Amino acid sequence: MARIYNFSAGPSMLPEPVLQQAQQEMLDWRGSGMSVMEMSHRGPHFMAIAEQMKNDLIELLAVPANYRVLFLQAGASAQFAMIPQNILNGKTKACYVNTGAWSTAAIKEAGKYCEVQVAASGESTAFTTIPAYADWRVDPAAAYLHYTSNETIHGVEFNDIPDAGDLPLVCDMSSNILSRRVDIGHYGLIYAGAQKNMGPSGVTVVIVRDDLVGLEAKNTPAVFSYAQQAKADSMLNTPATYNWYLLGLTLQWLKGEGGVVAIEQRNIRKANKLYQAIDDSSLYRNPVDPACRSRMNVPFVLADATLDKAFLEQAEQQGLSTLAGHRSVGGMRASIYNAMPEAGVEALIEFMAEFERTH
Ligand SMILES: Cc1ncc(COP(=O)(O)O)c(C=O)c1O
């Protein structure tokens, strides 16, 4: 059976060697006589898997020693609530930058716990730009400043790290973690769902600086407490064991590819090629300011929207799958995370050129 190029925004493609290794180890993980799915999370086999996975993530992201690395459940969406629950620390306000649908979701959830000051918003340009830093209004009395480093739906990505002054900087890195180098030391907290660049859904990585651990509101449920999860090494409740294992295999694969430095170069090449093809065509258009175009999610529209259906159907026939844009914005979107090979992007570009020629 031929595998397709899957441009889904997440869950998304996994590296083929990861799937193959999981297949090989499915019934008998390295002589243990059982599948990883069947192991006790407290047993020596799984403890070894968990430790290796965590150490690999720390190595790949160069996480400084004064950060806790947690592997939690309920998605990045749970973090929208857990962050204010855990780090408001008695303050009544938090600042959020709104660069698209995911920032908007984070803002809505945080509003249940505190006053949200929108420090800057790209809404007036339909989220095709990142507001200039000089125009951001950050309240130094707020508990933290939150932003989304890559907007998965709108295809807007930060190319540098905003200055939060003395406030802890909090970042939703769900759709670009491990795709580019980033200095974790600038952050108070970062979080990311696994299902784009790290593995299957069901695990959320939270990397939180020590001084922000232990500040949770009194009524915070135990499983939502960074302090309690850190103390229990993310095993306060039964973890998503198989997903941790697959996350670990994906990290091993990334290390084998040369780590974040090497994958970043590949991601730059992939994105540049695709944007160039879009910009050179008269049928396709990407609406995002070139200064903040995402390397991970490339939205584009066809000049004649009546061709959308034919485009998607014909792409599917060529093994180029899940190219429809998010239902809230329409058009097309190619998600080209770490596991999307360059050949997949090249196949898409070739198809797009051929479609333009024939329509
Ligand atoms: C940037 C971003 N943040 C948050 C989420 C929500 O993640 P989850 O579905 O894991 O809660 C997504 C999902 O696509 C996302 O792309």
Side-chain angles (χ1 to χ4, degrees):
M1 191 205 78
R3 278 180 54 80
I4 55 167
Y5 290 120
N6 175 10
F7 293 90
S8 168
S12 48
M13 279 188 87
L14 288 169
E16 230 168 85
V18 166
L19 297 174
Q20 278 159 353
Q21 190 172 343
Q23 183 184 41
Q24 275 163 21
E25 295 179 339
M26 174 60 81
L27 293 182
D28 175 11
W29 182 81
R30 302 179 200 178
S32 66
M34 59 182 154
S35 166
V36 174
M37 270 183 262
E38 302 167 300
M39 291 173 180
S40 161
H41 59 296
R42 309 261 181 228
H45 299 305
F46 189 75
M47 292 300 265
I49 291 172
E51 194 183 336
Q52 176 81 49
M53 185 266 282
K54 185 172 168 181
N55 289 340
D56 284 343
L57 187 64
I58 289 170
E59 183 186 327
L60 280 162
L61 286 172
V63 179
N66 60 325
Y67 286 75
R68 297 304 106 218
V69 181
L70 309 177
F71 301 91
L72 305 178
Q73 297 184 39
S77 301
Q79 295 309 310
F80 296 163
M82 278 179 69
I83 288 162
Q85 280 181 323
N86 277 272
I87 69 168
L88 274 174
N89 193 21
K91 295 194 172 162
T92 55
K93 188 195 261 191
C95 289
Y96 278 69
V97 179
N98 190 358
T99 48
W102 289 110
S103 315
T104 305
I107 288 168
K108 191 169 166 220
E109 196 70 354
K112 295 177 183 170
Y113 300 91
C114 62
E115 181 193 338
V116 172
Q117 175 168 318
V118 177
S121 174
E123 200 169 0
S124 63
T125 64
F127 298 121
T128 57
T129 57
I130 292 174
Y133 291 151
D135 299 332
W136 290 22
R137 290 171 299 104
V138 178
D139 183 347
Y144 58 88
L145 173 67
H146 176 286
Y147 80 109
T148 307
S149 55
N150 183 64
E151 283 284 355
T152 321
I153 293 174
H154 289 90
V156 167
E157 183 171 15
F158 282 76
N159 278 308
D160 49 19
I161 300 176
D163 179 7
D166 291 334
L167 298 187
L169 184 60
V170 175
C171 182
D172 178 356
M173 282 191 196
S174 290
S175 49
N176 69 351
I177 193 166
L178 291 168
S179 71
R180 60 195 297 154
R181 280 162 302 159
V182 61
D183 186 349
I184 302 292
H186 278 98
Y187 292 93
L189 185 153
I190 71 168
Y191 63 103
Q195 65 269 25
K196 292 126 183 357
N197 269 334
M198 291 190 287
S201 57
V203 196
T204 308
V205 168
V206 176
I207 302 174
V208 54
R209 209 173 53 211
D210 282 343
D211 60 290
L212 298 174
V213 177
L215 310 177
E216 71 269 29
K218 280 203 171 54
N219 60 355
T220 304
V223 290
F224 295 158
S225 152
Y226 295 142
Q228 294 201 48
Q229 287 286 13
K231 199 164 160 227
D233 224 354
S234 307
M235 291 197 191
L236 196 65
N237 61 315
T238 314
T241 50
Y242 199 72
N243 307 54
W244 285 30
Y245 159 70
L246 290 173
L247 199 164
L249 293 187
T250 310
L251 298 178
Q252 284 278 319
W253 168 82
L254 183 53
K255 280 174 73 174
E257 294 295 295
V260 174
V261 172
I263 209 80
E264 177 173 22
Q265 291 313 311
R266 190 188 299 171
N267 287 332
I268 291 171
R269 282 197 303 276
K270 281 160 33 185
N272 283 350
K273 275 185 206 167
L274 186 49
Y275 283 114
Q276 192 64 54
I278 291 169
D279 290 346
D280 287 348
S281 102
S282 45
L283 179 60
Y284 310 108
R285 189 176 64 84
N286 168 277
V288 177
D289 175 359
C292 54
R293 283 174 162 180
S294 169
R295 290 178 190 163
M296 297 284 101
N297 311 96
V298 181
F300 56 95
V301 290
L302 274 61
D304 177 1
T306 63
L307 292 174
D308 284 6
K309 196 164 166 276
F311 180 91
L312 289 168
E313 279 171 8
Q314 289 175 31
E316 199 75 45
Q317 282 161 14
Q318 304 285 319
L320 306 168
S321 183
T322 332
L323 281 161
H326 189 267
R327 58 193 180 281
S328 63
V329 293
M332 308 297 155
R333 172 177 51 170
S335 296
I336 50 173
Y337 300 118
N338 286 354
M340 172 61 68
E342 278 184 272
V345 173
E346 277 153 17
L348 173 62
I349 291 169
E350 232 170 81
F351 165 75
M352 287 168 71
E354 181 61 13
F355 186 86
E356 181 167 8
R357 206 179 56 74
T358 51
H359 288 84

